[in-house]
Amino acid sequence: MENKGDLMGERTKNILVGAAWKMKKNLDKSIAYARKLNEFCLENIETGDNIEVFFLPTFLPLYHMRDIVTSPKLKYGAQNCCWEDEGAFTGEVSPAHLKDAGCTYVELGHAERRRIFGEDDGMLNKKVIAAIRNGLRPILCIGEREKKDNISDTYDFLKDQMLTGLKGVDPGDLERVIIAYEPVWAIGAKEPAPLSYTVEIIRFLRDTLEEQYGKEVSEAQMIFYGGAVSADTAPELLNIEGNDGIFIGRAALDIKYFTAMIGMALEFVRSQEPVPGQAPIDKF
């Protein structure tokens, strides 16, 4: 049986619910999806709900989203960017251009980008800094490729990924970075990482942040889980102390599925007792 102290934190949590579309949906389908999602958020999420929803389509629809997304609880972003604002980088997309398109978030370091396109921690660190420089919120994806028998090996791997990705970030800007813990072996799998395993990993990540930057930074940093998130597993994942949300991949391409997951997260948020002085997610 899980220790409830490991699952439910003492504070009211601000929750992120995000979706990345990979290389799916053409322009028309992207616009239709965004309109439905915006309508859902306007009708169902109240100003006082400590929740923010975001989606990451392909690059082509981004400029259209400025006129579609009107809910204050809904944001959008991109799945990658360059580490430079402009220059001779054929085929790359500038973080400055993403900001101009109205983006709030940019995902960096997804396992597919690391594996297929050879992105490494040093390159991603430059992208994190570029995103912050342009007023974006980088989502730094970290995750071990396989489940090790000795969890200490996983700790070492994740620590290196996270701290290298954050190297040189001004302490005052660390809160702008979101850490997405996505064990590679769970992405696209039938089941997410075991709950007790995820509890231990998220606790380790926060302990590492506290050791490196102090308790205040560790507590303020947003960390959320991605990898085979489903309607069956989302409630338990949201209950993990130190986990600030869920990041959904291909399953969220179905608008009904994604809005159902948002509804589930809303139920969780509204079930919590508010804590005086808790900063709302709108501060972002």
Side-chain angles (χ1 to χ4, degrees):
M1 180 178 293
E2 300 292 352
N3 183 334
K4 290 296 182 183
D6 291 335
L7 296 179
M8 190 62 186
E10 296 180 353
R11 64 184 178 91
T12 299
K13 296 203 293 188
N14 295 320
I15 292 297
L16 281 174
V17 181
W21 293 3
K22 301 185 182 290
M23 198 172 68
K24 302 282 189 177
K25 293 191 182 296
N26 62 19
L27 181 60
D28 289 342
K29 290 180 179 179
S30 297
I31 289 172
Y33 184 112
R35 284 176 174 156
K36 290 178 181 178
L37 182 58
N38 184 68
E39 182 180 352
F40 175 88
C41 292
L42 286 171
E43 292 178 353
N44 293 278
I45 306 180
E46 299 174 2
T47 303
D49 289 327
N50 287 336
I51 189 171
E52 183 165 283
V53 178
F54 71 87
F55 64 104
L56 309 177
T58 60
F59 290 120
L60 294 179
L62 289 176
Y63 274 94
H64 296 270
M65 298 305 158
R66 294 185 300 181
D67 299 323
I68 295 172
V69 175
T70 60
S71 168
K73 293 295 188 176
L74 178 62
K75 308 293 187 222
Y76 62 92
Q79 299 175 45
N80 184 37
C81 73
C82 187
W83 59 86
E84 294 288 350
D85 296 352
E86 63 178 1
F89 299 94
T90 301
E92 285 294 319
V93 175
S94 164
H97 297 173
L98 295 180
K99 184 64 176 179
D100 185 56
C103 292
T104 298
Y105 296 99
V106 59
E107 181 182 20
L108 301 172
H110 187 277
E112 290 161 1
R113 298 231 32 112
R114 292 175 183 266
R115 175 175 57 86
I116 299 171
F117 299 101
E119 295 186 352
D120 59 26
D121 294 330
M123 180 191 297
L124 293 167
N125 174 241
K126 293 193 294 182
K127 292 186 177 192
V128 167
I129 292 172
I132 293 171
R133 181 175 68 240
N134 284 281
L136 298 168
R137 296 206 68 192
I139 301 169
L140 177 61
C141 299
I142 64 172
E144 70 279 16
R145 288 184 287 270
E146 56 187 21
K147 190 172 183 292
K148 301 285 189 180
D149 293 333
N150 186 350
I151 198 170
S152 295
D153 294 335
T154 300
Y155 287 164
D156 291 341
F157 182 82
L158 294 175
K159 180 178 181 179
D160 186 59
Q161 274 195 329
M162 182 171 68
L163 295 185
T164 302
L166 297 176
K167 184 178 180 180
V169 175
D170 187 281
D173 288 328
L174 283 169
E175 196 173 351
R176 294 195 59 78
V177 183
I178 298 167
I179 305 297
Y181 171 56
E182 297 187 299
V184 179
W185 49 273
I187 296 175
K190 293 182 178 180
E191 298 289 339
L195 189 65
S196 59
Y197 182 90
T198 304
V199 167
E200 293 298 322
I201 294 295
I202 290 178
R203 179 191 292 126
F204 169 77
L205 294 176
R206 292 208 178 274
D207 287 348
T208 299
L209 288 167
E210 181 174 347
E211 179 183 324
Q212 190 74 16
Y213 302 108
K215 185 175 182 180
E216 186 176 346
V217 169
S218 174
E219 290 180 346
Q221 195 81 46
M222 296 202 81
I223 301 175
F224 69 158
Y225 175 86
V229 178
S230 69
D232 293 332
T233 59
E236 289 184 326
L237 289 167
L238 289 170
N239 263 311
I240 294 176
E241 182 177 2
N243 178 41
D244 296 309
I246 48 178
F247 197 15
I248 307 167
R250 66 199 71 187
L253 292 169
D254 181 341
I255 184 69
K256 291 182 179 180
Y257 182 91
F258 190 45
T259 53
M261 297 295 278
I262 297 167
M264 190 176 297
L266 269 173
E267 289 182 13
F268 170 79
V269 166
R270 291 169 180 171
S271 71
Q272 297 180 96
E273 291 294 328
V275 176
Q278 170 77 36
I281 202 166
D282 298 316
K283 69 178 178 175
F284 302 128

